[in-house]
Amino acid sequence: QVQLVESGGGLVQAGGSLRLSCAASGHTFYSETMGWFRQAPGKEREFVSAISGNTYYADSVKARFTISRADAKNTVYLQMNSLKPDDTAVYYCAARPDTITSGYKYWGQGTQVTVSS
């Protein structure tokens, strides 16, 4: 059974940094596309970033967030710098998509990121 477990969320001041981790088990996602999404209160879930052979970012996080992976650990990371209050959301890791930004089959339970002003 595939499981994705996120960690690393928390409370940070604007301008600060956090590093999210997504540890996968039950399947080795070596070189498969994995992504990060987020959902803020009252808003729809939105694409943040994905990694396959290339990396992809939403315009709102480009140049501030960096996605990476450690295949030996079956783990994907999201380094978030220069955080803004608008980045406050529950962040979800996902895998096995139909496209880079949609149709993901597997999801984690989410980790809360709160950015204070």
Side-chain angles (χ1 to χ4, degrees):
Q1 181 178 358
V2 174
Q3 284 192 317
L4 304 176
V5 179
E6 302 97 335
S7 61
L11 173 64
V12 64
Q13 289 188 332
S17 298
L18 283 174
R19 187 196 196 201
L20 305 184
S21 299
C22 171
S25 61
H27 178 77
T28 300
F29 288 98
Y30 178 74
S31 72
E32 292 187 39
T33 300
M34 296 188 71
W36 287 95
F37 289 74
R38 66 187 182 186
Q39 187 167 20
K43 295 186 177 181
E44 293 187 353
R45 187 169 58 194
E46 64 175 1
F47 170 79
V48 174
S49 182
I51 185 167
S52 55
N54 296 312
T55 56
Y56 306 86
Y57 299 95
D59 288 342
S60 59
V61 307
K62 205 170 292 184
R64 299 189 297 121
F65 290 10
T66 302
I67 191 170
S68 62
R69 69 196 308 162
D71 287 327
K73 298 181 179 180
N74 214 18
T75 299
V76 174
Y77 304 98
L78 186 68
Q79 177 68 43
M80 305 186 297
N81 298 328
S82 302
L83 283 161
K84 306 174 181 179
D86 284 349
D87 295 319
T88 295
V90 178
Y91 284 70
Y92 298 91
C93 174
R96 192 66 61 77
D98 292 332
T99 70
I100 291 296
T101 58
S102 66
Y104 282 75
K105 179 177 181 179
Y106 302 113
W107 292 86
Q109 83 289 349
T111 185
Q112 177 71 47
V113 171
T114 303
V115 184
S116 63
S117 57

